[in-house]
Amino acid sequence: MSKSSPRRSFGRKSTGTVTVIEAKVHRSSARNARMAFILTAVIIGVLAAVVAAAYVHPIIALFIGAAVSVPCGALAWLLVRIWPVLRLLWWWTPEIVLAVLLLTGWVQLATHTPTPVTLAVVAVVLGVPAAVPALRRQVVAWVWCLIVRHRLRVCFAQFIIANQSGSLPLILWATPTPVGERVWVYLRPGLSLADLEGRLDKIAVTCHASSVLVERASDGNAAYLRFDIKRREVLTATVTSPLADVIDPDAPATDRPTPVIPTALDLPDVQAPTITLPVQPKKQAATSANGSKPAPAPSSDADDLSDWL
């Protein structure tokens, strides 16, 4: 739904257009609301009339069914019609809840305490997270989670193809990780994981991150995805070893020869090893009793030359 100022004459410029809900989403919501009203009214009216016909006259049962179906259909129409607004409120739910809590706490604190105590409490609440590095990192990490949810919504609205009705995916929640943030997203019909894999570099630019990874968060539901947004590398950090504390600093150093590491190798410089084969003893030919060599035994059928041809 858009709100714009009319064009003025005499060369004055218009103030521009402020878009809250896209026109395509507005038309789709109106069409779906009408269908929801008709289906809900017909189904509930028929069921109510059938149940009432068991107790009253059928004609009276029809009036009872109509009286029950119209409010139920109107409720379904209202829920579907305001769904774009509910989704917009869902996107800003953490900020709204945080603002309400802070405003309520400030009002209660200023009402029930004197001004010095109020200022002291505010200084402690704001100063302790800013002074303690661990708390400060946690606060910054959760702030980035809030920012990333809106940056992903900008990605889906600007350069990621949505469905024909123009409805964007439902961005659920985000949590901090050691390298960045992790966001869970539920896709609407018209998008898949393959459509997002080719746009990860653009998503990283929009989210002010170094890289973005996306994968399925559920084996049984392809629409449920998980975005891992990386801002830093934890594997490049310096890790201290406890072995350095075990070494005695007063221990004398031992002189060891410096090993010579060859930088090049020539084949003539390599000495080929000499391999000596063992000498097999010669077998003496067997002789007969009269000193003559025995005649060779005739070959059997297994040694027939025709078998080797």
Side-chain angles (χ1 to χ4, degrees), residues 98-116:
L98 185 60
V100 170
L101 291 178
L102 291 178
L103 184 60
T104 303
W106 169 259
V107 171
Q108 295 295 326
L109 186 64
T111 304
H112 298 84
T113 58
T115 303

Side-chain angles (χ1 to χ4, degrees), residues 11-33:
R12 295 181 181 179
K13 296 182 180 180
S14 59
T15 58
T17 301
V18 179
T19 302
V20 179
I21 300 175
E22 298 292 338
K24 185 165 56 175
V25 177
H26 182 73
R27 292 191 298 268
S28 176
S29 175
R31 181 175 62 254
N32 294 336

Side-chain angles (χ1 to χ4, degrees), residues 46-284:
V46 170
L47 292 177
V50 170
V51 174
Y55 302 96
V56 296
H57 194 272
I59 298 179
I60 300 178
L62 291 177
F63 285 102
I64 294 176
V68 174
S69 63
V70 171
C72 294
L75 180 62
W77 176 89
L78 180 62
L79 292 177
V80 177
R81 194 70 178 87
I82 65 174
W83 167 246
V85 180
L86 294 178
R87 186 177 59 184
L88 185 63
L89 293 176
W90 166 259
W91 289 337
W92 292 92
T93 296
E95 289 81 0
I96 294 174
V97 172
L98 185 60
V100 170
L101 291 178
L102 291 178
L103 184 60
T104 303
W106 169 259
V107 171
Q108 295 295 326
L109 186 64
T111 304
H112 298 84
T113 58
T115 303
V117 176
T118 303
L119 297 178
V121 172
V122 172
V124 170
V125 172
L126 298 180
V128 171
V132 180
L135 295 178
R136 184 173 65 250
R137 286 192 294 267
Q138 289 294 326
V139 172
V140 172
W142 282 106
V143 170
W144 270 113
C145 291
L146 299 178
I147 296 174
V148 161
R149 293 179 73 252
H150 298 290
R151 302 309 296 173
L152 282 179
R153 178 171 57 87
V154 172
C155 294
F156 285 112
Q158 294 296 328
F159 57 85
I160 297 178
I161 302 174
N163 49 19
Q164 294 181 356
S165 60
S167 58
L168 301 179
L170 189 62
I171 302 173
L172 300 177
W173 58 85
T175 57
T177 60
V179 296
E181 299 84 33
R182 175 170 292 179
V183 187
W184 283 266
V185 177
Y186 193 86
L187 299 181
R188 302 295 298 274
L191 279 178
S192 64
L193 178 61
D195 297 330
L196 302 176
E197 290 178 346
R199 298 178 173 87
L200 296 180
D201 53 346
K202 297 182 180 180
I203 297 176
V205 171
T206 308
C207 295
H208 308 292
S210 60
S211 62
V212 175
L213 300 177
V214 58
E215 59 183 355
R216 291 177 58 174
S218 174
D219 295 334
N221 192 352
Y224 190 37
L225 302 182
R226 180 174 62 245
F227 285 78
D228 287 318
I229 300 171
K230 299 177 63 177
R231 303 187 181 279
R232 52 193 171 271
E233 294 289 343
V234 296
L235 298 180
T236 57
T238 303
V239 180
T240 58
S241 176
L243 298 178
D245 300 332
V246 181
I247 300 175
D248 187 7
D250 299 331
T254 305
D255 295 334
R256 296 181 181 179
T258 304
V260 179
I261 302 175
T263 57
L265 190 62
D266 242 350
L267 289 180
D269 297 339
V270 180
Q271 297 179 0
T274 304
I275 302 174
T276 305
L277 298 176
V279 180
Q280 298 291 337
K282 295 182 179 180
K283 294 182 180 180
Q284 297 181 357

